Amino acid sequence: PGKKVLIVYAHQEPKSFNGSLLKIAVEELTKQGCSVTVSDLYAMQFEPRATRNDIVGETSQKRPFSKPSDLHQEAEKSLPEIFPRPNNPNSQSVFLGEFPLFWFSMPAILKGWMDRVLVQGFAYDLSKAYDGGLLQDKLSLFSFTTGGSQELYSKEGISGDIRYVLWPMQHGIMHFCGVKVLEPHICYAPENVSEEKRKEMLTAWTQRLKTLWKEVPIDCSPQWYFK
């Protein structure tokens, strides 16, 4: 009871491997009795650019980015339900980002969602950040696919440790807003493996979701990313 999940999905093709991961997440978490909300950014034709139109009122106000019309549903309707304010012991909530890794980062449309929805005064305040952030005690989980193999994203690999890539996304966005971070779920190079291996990846995702609410967040500190 009271378990809420917001899935922000960023892939152009519903039949993609990321689309399969999304479908599994919705089905499994709904089966658990969770309230699941999906923001399919490409299907919504979400505008990723933060423009002058986002500024409501005088720029000297504490919250200049208050209520642009196309963000009303995302920031003022869905998110307060997913991210109720701290000290609400009757609610558990998870932000789940589902996306392919593009150029060592999230797709631009998802980064734009972060830029435009997680605004100052709602998601963060410069005087209240990280463990004291405005969205503290909530959970986040990034589930993503890569084009390269796991070996490439190791300390010995040409791409370096995957944790280096996660630093700006998990620490610089989620942790900055006070959200507790769960271990990422990474499917390495699904397009370059066998059908049997892809099925194993999907099964592993299903199994993880079954115990999602029992997971302990990572120690979201520089040491976790750069040790």
Side-chain angles (χ1 to χ4, degrees):
K3 293 178 179 177
K4 301 177 184 294
V5 181
L6 172 61
I7 304 176
V8 180
Y9 171 68
H11 198 291
Q12 309 95 312
E13 175 51 64
K15 295 180 181 180
S16 64
F17 193 80
N18 288 98
S20 297
L21 294 168
L22 170 66
K23 182 179 179 181
I24 287 173
V26 172
E27 291 178 350
E28 176 58 35
L29 293 169
T30 300
K31 188 187 303 181
Q32 295 177 21
C34 303
S35 173
V36 181
T37 301
V38 178
S39 287
D40 184 339
L41 300 184
Y42 285 103
M44 294 162 55
Q45 297 186 326
F46 183 80
E47 170 57 73
R49 297 173 303 167
T51 69
R52 180 62 179 81
N53 293 331
D54 285 355
I55 301 176
V56 179
E58 298 296 326
T59 57
S60 61
Q61 293 178 350
K62 184 176 180 181
R63 287 189 60 191
F65 303 98
S66 54
K67 295 182 182 178
S69 59
D70 67 328
L71 297 185
H72 183 80
Q73 181 176 1
E74 293 297 300
E76 299 297 336
K77 181 179 179 182
S78 296
L79 279 175
E81 296 176 0
I82 304 304
F83 289 134
R85 290 306 183 206
N87 303 318
N88 183 349
N90 297 317
S91 180
Q92 292 178 283
S93 53
V94 168
F95 167 88
L96 197 165
E98 178 61 57
F99 57 94
L101 195 69
F102 284 176
W103 294 113
F104 281 45
S105 186
M106 62 185 70
I109 197 168
L110 178 54
K111 178 54 167 59
W113 186 94
M114 302 286 183
D115 292 347
R116 300 187 66 216
V117 176
L118 301 180
V119 294
Q120 185 173 0
F122 169 70
Y124 73 92
D125 187 292
L126 295 180
S127 65
K128 297 178 181 178
Y130 297 111
D131 291 340
L134 298 182
L135 300 180
Q136 60 186 286
D137 300 327
K138 307 310 163 191
L139 299 172
S140 67
L141 168 59
F142 285 159
S143 167
F144 62 93
T145 58
T146 69
S149 66
Q150 187 169 3
E151 289 72 26
L152 286 177
Y153 287 101
S154 65
K155 288 185 177 181
E156 297 74 26
I158 188 64
S159 296
D161 195 325
I162 191 65
R163 293 188 179 193
Y164 305 158
V165 177
L166 290 164
W167 169 256
M169 296 190 288
Q170 291 187 161
H171 182 76
I173 300 176
M174 292 289 108
H175 188 204
F176 185 84
C177 294
V179 180
K180 296 186 184 304
V181 178
L182 298 177
E183 188 87 29
H185 193 87
I186 309 170
C187 292
Y188 290 97
E191 66 175 319
N192 296 326
V193 300
S194 66
E195 182 64 26
E196 181 180 356
K197 182 61 177 178
R198 285 193 288 272
K199 289 180 180 179
E200 290 176 3
M201 290 179 176
L202 295 176
T203 298
W205 180 226
T206 303
Q207 293 303 313
R208 178 175 181 182
L209 290 169
K210 290 182 183 299
T211 58
L212 178 65
W213 302 98
K214 297 179 181 179
E215 291 190 21
V216 176
I218 66 171
D219 172 22
C220 204
S221 65
Q223 289 72 31
W224 187 89
Y225 295 93
F226 301 109
K227 64 180 179 181

